[in-house]
Amino acid sequence: MAPGFSFYGLYPLWENTGNMLGHRRIFIGNNWLAVGFAHRFSLGLRPTSFFFRVPNFDFKALVYERAQLKVSMQLAPSLVLPGASTSFTTNNFVSRFDDNHHYLWLLPLSANASWQLLDELCLHASLTALGAFGKQVPNLQVTLGLTVFAEFMAWKYHSLMLHLGETGFWNHDLAMLGASYRFHWKWIEAQLGYFYRFSVNGNQGGFLIALGVLL
């Protein structure tokens, strides 16, 4: 896998890549904070979610690597605290439960792949099983989701991406369509995207931004 392609996803919860952080590399950003070990493991969290009453962490491991293909697994538990559904970000990306008086556990387990088709083109995909349980969901509820995004390295430090996603499959919950631009130079990372979300509760559109440094 050529250097320079994304090692994390922009769309929360559902989107990720097979690529890994390097050994003892640290990424500090608003969308993800993580440290890599042995080029095969990383421990991280989503910092912004803590401000909106959703503590979380994630563990990611490389499980397969061959030529231009990398496959990883990731477990990313989150605890949605009472009142988190009133935060503007959780209405869009975390939970549509009325959780003003109850806790909600989210347990997403994902299989992620990054396949470099050309020197300038990489295809990233994530298949996620999102488990949820709490007082409002006494029995474990599992929702499947699939996201795919194509990353085209248009210039040396500039990438253009097209994002697609579907959650719920036969029991449709939401679909996602978006486009983003990524700038990556030495230790600087910046990404800006606009996403449409088509759900059973109506359609929404909005910007997502990720800023970070790679140490």
Side-chain angles (χ1 to χ4, degrees):
M1 181 72 63
F5 287 110
S6 296
F7 48 86
Y8 66 96
L10 182 60
Y11 196 84
L13 283 181
W14 300 104
E15 193 175 74
N16 212 315
T17 79
N19 294 332
M20 303 294 298
L21 280 175
H23 181 52
R24 296 183 181 177
R25 300 302 300 270
I26 299 173
F27 183 77
I28 302 174
N30 67 303
N31 203 37
W32 195 42
L33 189 156
V35 58
F37 305 95
H39 302 283
R40 301 191 67 87
F41 307 99
S42 70
L43 285 173
L45 54 85
R46 300 186 306 277
T48 307
S49 297
F50 280 81
F51 293 103
F52 301 102
R53 302 179 61 78
V54 186
N56 64 90
F57 77 93
D58 65 72
F59 174 72
K60 186 177 179 182
L62 183 69
V63 296
Y64 180 82
E65 180 177 13
R66 184 173 181 181
Q68 305 304 312
L69 176 65
K70 288 187 177 181
V71 179
S72 68
M73 298 291 295
Q74 183 175 33
L75 178 65
S78 297
L79 176 61
V80 182
L81 298 175
S85 63
T86 60
S87 302
F88 70 90
T89 56
T90 55
N91 287 335
N92 287 326
F93 302 122
V94 176
S95 170
R96 292 193 298 275
F97 289 94
D98 178 10
D99 63 343
N100 287 327
H101 306 291
H102 302 289
Y103 295 90
L104 178 70
W105 281 100
L106 301 177
L107 300 173
L109 176 64
S110 61
N112 317 298
S114 292
W115 181 21
Q116 186 179 340
L117 301 173
L118 302 169
D119 289 344
E120 303 84 10
L121 180 64
C122 190
L123 190 66
H124 308 280
S126 291
L127 178 63
T128 302
L130 174 62
F133 68 92
K135 283 193 174 181
Q136 288 183 293
V137 189
N139 298 315
L140 180 65
Q141 186 179 95
V142 178
T143 302
L144 294 178
L146 175 66
T147 61
V148 178
F149 70 98
E151 180 175 7
F152 174 59
M153 202 171 294
W155 301 278
K156 188 174 182 179
Y157 306 116
H158 309 268
S159 297
L160 301 175
M161 306 188 198
L162 179 65
H163 308 252
L164 298 169
E166 163 69 17
T167 300
F169 294 106
W170 50 89
N171 185 21
H172 174 73
D173 185 31
L174 64 90
M176 172 269 287
L177 172 65
S180 67
Y181 160 76
R182 173 176 173 249
F183 174 76
H184 46 99
W185 177 74
K186 294 184 179 179
W187 50 273
I188 299 174
E189 283 271 342
Q191 191 172 353
L192 175 66
Y194 191 86
F195 289 79
Y196 286 103
R197 191 178 85 163
F198 310 93
S199 76
V200 293
N201 295 331
N203 303 331
Q204 294 176 312
F207 288 96
L208 288 176
I209 187 170
L211 301 172
V213 295
L214 181 62
L215 305 177

